[in-house]
Amino acid sequence: MSRQASRGTESKKMSSELFTLTYGALVTQLCKDYENDEDVNKQLDKMGYNIGVRLIEDFLARSNVGRCHDFRETADVIAKVAFKMYLGITPSITNWSPAGDEFSLILENNPLVDFVELPDNHSSLIYSNLLCGVLRGALEMKRSPDLGPGDMEVLGVSIRKEEAEGMCGSGEERRG
Amino acid sequence: MADAALFEFLHTEMVAELWAHDPDPSPGGQKTSLSVLKGMGFRVGQALGERLPRETLAFREELDILKFLCKDLWVAVFQKQMDSLRTNHQGTYVLQDNSFPLLVRMASGLQYLEEAPKFLAFTCGLLRGTLSTLGIKSLVTASVAALPACKFQVVIQKA
């Protein structure tokens, strides 16, 4: 009985570390393939984007979340449903712009950086940049069909002060 | 606590990225991409193995370790057990998965047979890496007769 239980715990622990470890191996490989941190950041963003456009379908199928009526709802769904489902954390939503078209997500405990130490020669590396691409890809797929092509764009998702605050992300929306 | 789907999405994108980035489409270039994937899998397998609690590492026999891979490791990584394990009791093991999750998204049968090795390389490395942490040196190869079933062949290297 106790042997079964400890087996389950081991599996669970390994399972949750698999993604973190694989991500670490990926970033290490990209740092070898590309000469500078900027290119690695771009590559992570691009890969994240490709993942995001597929992930959104998986998310909608599993979460039963309905259509978001405004950007605040979108922010809530991202932080409280999506991040919880995929990374087991709930970032806090802060820093709303006066126009309500920009916000920040703060990750207190970023699971991607578990066991990770960045060497000094990679000061421009945005380690978690994949997450930005994922958000960008997912949001772009689900912008409202009622809006015209120029009416809403996810202009940027960026990470600021990664070390101090975890991740900050902002999406921008323009209504026609 | 990362969701299992994230690993699958990431793995698919990693395979795509390595192939897109590879300037050399010849068989020689393919080999490099495959070995890069295997290397990444190896490091991850090693790290996973290192995180096992001490008691687990007190296996009695080589076969126990292989059974561990087929049950505990496979469940942790792919949420299912290996479907069969065969051995010649002389250091060669064949692990068969009839529905390998990283192949399932591709068509079943003989379509995309050529693409399959790309989706197995990381996992071959993973197996070899975990074995390495458990004190076993091995060679791991994979073969696919018809998707999504595949076999992993583990050959133990005696010192």
Side-chain angles (χ1 to χ4, degrees):
Chain A
M1 188 63 176
S2 68
R3 205 179 146 182
Q4 290 281 76
S6 71
R7 236 191 196 170
T9 328
E10 281 148 34
S11 274
K12 224 175 166 197
K13 204 172 109 191
M14 276 197 281
S15 174
S16 74
E17 288 168 352
L18 175 67
F19 178 72
T20 302
L21 291 169
T22 305
Y23 186 71
L26 170 68
V27 177
T28 306
Q29 187 60 40
L30 290 177
C31 288
K32 285 193 194 137
D33 289 346
Y34 293 93
E35 281 176 3
N36 60 64
D37 289 349
E38 260 317 302
D39 287 340
V40 176
N41 294 337
K42 272 192 208 135
Q43 201 55 35
L44 285 173
D45 181 80
K46 182 182 137 213
M47 291 178 73
Y49 181 86
N50 292 339
I51 291 174
V53 303
R54 279 181 235 121
L55 192 90
I56 184 67
E57 301 302 337
D58 181 80
F59 173 66
L60 292 175
R62 288 164 59 184
S63 69
N64 271 327
V65 158
R67 183 112 155 246
C68 288
H69 296 99
D70 59 36
F71 203 42
R72 279 193 184 257
E73 236 187 282
T74 305
D76 268 352
V77 168
I78 292 172
K80 295 174 188 164
V81 189
F83 266 91
K84 187 89 182 114
M85 182 186 291
Y86 289 109
L87 288 173
I89 54 170
T90 307
S92 43
I93 304 168
T94 64
N95 255 357
W96 277 103
S97 64
D101 60 1
E102 192 175 323
F103 66 91
S104 295
L105 291 166
I106 314 287
L107 277 66
E108 296 297 329
N109 295 304
N110 182 356
L112 289 183
V113 305
D114 282 347
F115 328 122
V116 171
E117 266 178 43
L118 285 183
D120 292 330
N121 58 333
H122 286 288
S123 50
S124 309
L125 180 69
I126 305 176
Y127 186 80
S128 305
N129 214 32
L130 191 99
L131 293 180
C132 291
V134 173
L135 283 170
R136 195 166 60 83
L139 287 172
E140 246 182 58
M141 284 298 110
K142 288 303 155 187
R143 58 189 188 203
S144 168
D146 297 336
L147 301 173
D151 289 338
M152 176 183 153
E153 294 165 40
V154 180
L155 289 181
V157 184
S158 61
I159 288 186
R160 288 195 297 272
K161 293 186 279 177
E162 181 167 19
E163 258 53 63
E165 292 187 346
M167 181 190 108
C168 286
S170 66
E172 271 188 12
E173 178 194 75
R174 275 200 323 257
R175 289 198 185 280
Chain B
M1 253 330 153
D3 185 87
L6 281 184
F7 169 70
E8 262 187 60
F9 281 112
L10 183 64
H11 177 268
T12 304
E13 190 52 33
M14 273 162 41
V15 172
E17 144 77 4
L18 275 169
W19 249 260
H21 185 232
D22 198 338
D24 182 359
S26 75
Q30 274 234 352
K31 245 181 134 188
T32 312
S33 295
L34 287 175
S35 66
V36 166
L37 280 169
K38 281 186 191 172
M40 290 169 69
F42 183 81
R43 280 200 296 282
V44 173
Q46 269 187 318
L48 281 179
E50 275 162 20
R51 277 157 179 71
L52 295 170
R54 291 276 152 207
E55 311 84 64
T56 323
L57 303 178
F59 292 105
R60 271 165 291 145
E61 290 178 11
E62 196 174 86
L63 185 59
D64 286 337
I65 299 185
L66 269 297
K67 284 183 186 168
F68 169 81
L69 294 184
C70 292
K71 292 183 185 169
D72 304 67
L73 182 72
W74 225 242
V75 165
V77 177
F78 299 115
Q79 294 78 53
K80 69 184 285 288
Q81 291 192 10
M82 192 75 74
D83 291 300
S84 83
L85 170 66
R86 291 200 304 276
T87 178
N88 63 359
H89 296 286
Q90 283 169 22
T92 298
Y93 298 83
V94 177
L95 292 64
Q96 176 150 343
D97 193 326
N98 294 326
S99 181
F100 185 53
L102 297 178
L103 289 178
V104 160
R105 285 176 195 270
M106 300 161 72
S108 59
L110 301 176
Q111 215 180 359
Y112 302 124
L113 211 52
E114 266 183 43
E115 308 289 301
K118 302 178 194 173
F119 290 86
L120 298 169
F122 182 91
T123 306
C124 286
L126 187 93
L127 283 167
R128 199 168 70 84
T130 306
L131 282 168
S132 157
T133 306
L134 298 174
I136 294 185
K137 217 171 150 202
S138 62
L139 278 180
V140 182
T141 53
S143 61
V144 180
L147 278 73
C150 67
K151 291 183 190 173
F152 295 91
Q153 182 166 289
V154 178
V155 178
I156 311 294
Q157 316 272 280
K158 298 296 179 192

